[in-house]
């Protein structure tokens, strides 16, 4: 009777552990930010390895469960010491070792870094507090700087040069590739290749300050021809006409931190706003690109993003904030 009770308790524990192991998988069931919905070759390899390793773990756990069941239900004295030692040797030592060796040999090739050619696209990504500076350096072309979105051509190898000027950040696009730290004074390289077009999401995976949880970015994988057209548009300066918003933008000193190519001095403190109005989000992926959100963020950025380095302008009137928002929305 006592043996049956112990068996039931062990079975319940196994069920609870199985359910607990499945909860992270349920939490990852989305299409725009999930390791279970890869759009890059590296993430696809990781998913394949994960599936194989999980199957291997299930085989090991199943074998252990069968041994436990046999040990609890076999009549006393049926299993001799010699027979038990053989079970331990083959099912507890040799069998798992062969299985683990096979899993290791299967996973090792994925650790080989992807080769990068001279004509491959290089994109510099810098993690700031709390936004992302992105520089495109196409072979034979001029450097193009944007912010808070990463665009990739489908089917083309891209080398990401990851840096940080302030604290440690961590670059992570779950559906594209694994995490890579961004360490001040060091350049880390992550080579990726997108496999299908779409809009996805990346995040900072290393606590970097109060605004860490609000430091996201859009990842837009595009067909090669569409990407080249977009890059050509980004090289062009902003088309700006005289407006109250442009004058308010200058009078409040916004051009001291933000560049609008073709208008005023080149500033490097904050994000480049040359084609700001064409981006889908603002505040590093936190807010949709709407007129009201832009105006509110210009006046009180800390209300949306605690710890942000952008100053607040409590003296700015609502009308002036609306004018600046209209000016920024027109930068496309």
């Amino acid at each position: 009777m006592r043996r049956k009770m112990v068996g039931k308790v062990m079975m319940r524990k196994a069920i609870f552990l199985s359910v607990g192991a499945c909860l992270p998988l349920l939490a990852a069931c989305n299409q725009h930010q999930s390791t279970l919905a890869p759009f890059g070759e590296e993430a696809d390899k990781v998913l394949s390895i994960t599936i194989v390793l999980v199957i291997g773990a299930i085989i090991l756990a199943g074998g252990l469960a069968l041994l436990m069941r046999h040990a609890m239900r076999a009549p006393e004295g049926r299993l001799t010491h010699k027979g038990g030692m053989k079970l331990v040797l083959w099912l507890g030592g040799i069998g798992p070792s062969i299985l683990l060796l096979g899993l290791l040999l299967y996973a090792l090739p994925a650790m080989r870094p992807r080769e990068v050619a001279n004509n491959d696209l290089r994109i510099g990504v810098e993690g700031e507090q709390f936004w992302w500076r992105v520089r495109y350096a196409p072979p034979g072309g001029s450097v193009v700087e944007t912010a808070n979105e990463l665009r990739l051509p489908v089917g083309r190898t891209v080398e990401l040069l990851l840096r940080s000027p302030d604290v440690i950040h961590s670059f992570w696009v779950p559906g594209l590739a694994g995490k890579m730290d961004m360490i001040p004074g060091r350049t880390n390289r992550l080579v990726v290749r997108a496999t299908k077009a779409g809009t996805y999401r990346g995040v900072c995976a290393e606590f970097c300050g109060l605004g860490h949880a609000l430091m996201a970015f859009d990842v837009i994988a595009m067909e090669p021809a569409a990407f080249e057209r977009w890059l050509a548009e980004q090289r062009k300066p902003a088309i700006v006409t005289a407006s109250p918003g442009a004058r308010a933008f200058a009078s409040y000193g916004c051009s001291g931190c933000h560049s609008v190519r073709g208008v005023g001095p080149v500033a490097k403190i904050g994000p480049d706003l040359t084609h700001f109005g064409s981006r889908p989000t603002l505040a590093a992926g936190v807010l949709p690109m709407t007129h009201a959100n832009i105006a509110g963020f210009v006046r009180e950025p800390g209300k949306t993003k605690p710890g942000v380095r952008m100053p607040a302008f409590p003296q700015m009137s609502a009308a002036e904030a609306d004018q600046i928002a209209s000016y920024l929305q027109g930068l496309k």
Side-chain angles (χ1 to χ4, degrees), residues 265-278:
V266 177
K268 295 294 183 182
I269 298 175
D272 187 293
L273 303 180
T274 303
H275 299 287
F276 175 81
S278 63

Side-chain angles (χ1 to χ4, degrees), residues 43-327:
D44 190 63
K45 288 180 181 178
V46 171
L47 179 60
S48 299
I49 292 173
T50 301
I51 292 173
V52 172
L53 292 180
V54 168
I55 293 173
I58 291 173
I59 293 174
L60 288 175
L64 178 61
L66 290 175
L67 282 175
M68 291 171 57
R69 183 178 182 277
H70 177 71
M72 290 185 293
R73 295 196 174 188
E76 293 185 13
R78 180 176 178 180
L79 186 63
T80 64
H81 177 74
K82 184 177 181 180
M85 292 304 294
K86 285 184 178 180
L87 281 176
V88 171
L89 176 63
W90 286 100
L91 299 182
I94 297 176
S97 296
I98 294 174
L99 179 60
L100 292 175
L101 179 61
L103 294 174
L104 176 64
L105 294 176
Y106 171 79
L108 278 178
M111 300 177 65
R112 186 183 300 113
R114 182 186 296 277
E115 296 182 359
V116 182
N118 292 332
N119 60 345
D120 286 331
L121 178 64
R122 286 169 173 80
I123 302 177
V125 182
E126 291 185 12
E128 307 263 359
Q129 289 183 303
F130 300 97
W131 59 282
W132 306 87
R133 189 190 305 273
V134 184
R135 293 189 180 96
Y136 298 82
S142 58
V143 175
V144 174
E145 182 172 317
T146 65
N148 298 323
E149 71 170 19
L150 175 65
R151 301 213 177 205
L152 301 170
V154 172
R156 184 174 174 185
T157 298
V158 177
E159 183 181 30
L160 300 176
L161 308 175
L162 307 177
R163 306 180 181 92
S164 171
D166 41 47
V167 300
I168 296 177
H169 301 277
S170 185
F171 178 91
W172 189 32
V173 185
L176 180 65
K179 299 176 185 176
M180 180 70 73
D181 281 348
M182 310 169 85
I183 302 172
R186 178 172 178 174
T187 299
N188 285 336
R189 289 169 169 80
L190 180 65
V191 183
V192 301
R193 179 180 288 176
T195 56
K196 61 180 179 179
T199 300
Y200 308 93
R201 179 181 170 91
V203 295
C204 175
E206 179 82 27
F207 180 73
C208 54
L210 291 177
H212 160 69
L214 303 173
M215 187 175 170
F217 59 98
D218 295 300
V219 182
I220 303 173
M222 312 172 68
E223 296 300 332
F227 175 81
E228 292 299 332
R229 289 194 299 270
W230 173 84
L231 195 60
E233 288 295 323
Q234 293 297 308
R235 291 193 184 99
K236 298 177 182 178
I239 300 175
V240 180
T241 57
S243 67
R247 290 191 292 270
F249 183 86
S251 66
Y252 278 99
C254 302
S255 57
C257 294
H258 300 281
S259 286
V260 179
R261 272 180 278 121
V263 182
V266 177
K268 295 294 183 182
I269 298 175
D272 187 293
L273 303 180
T274 303
H275 299 287
F276 175 81
S278 63
R279 297 170 191 166
T281 61
L282 72 138
V286 176
L287 299 171
M289 186 68 74
T290 65
H291 183 91
N293 286 340
I294 298 172
F297 189 77
V298 167
R299 293 182 71 189
E300 298 180 282
K303 188 175 181 180
T304 301
K305 232 173 192 186
V308 69
R309 293 179 175 180
M310 179 176 169
F313 295 96
Q315 74 278 18
M316 182 184 293
S317 67
E320 289 174 317
D322 284 337
Q323 291 170 354
I324 293 177
S326 297
Y327 165 68

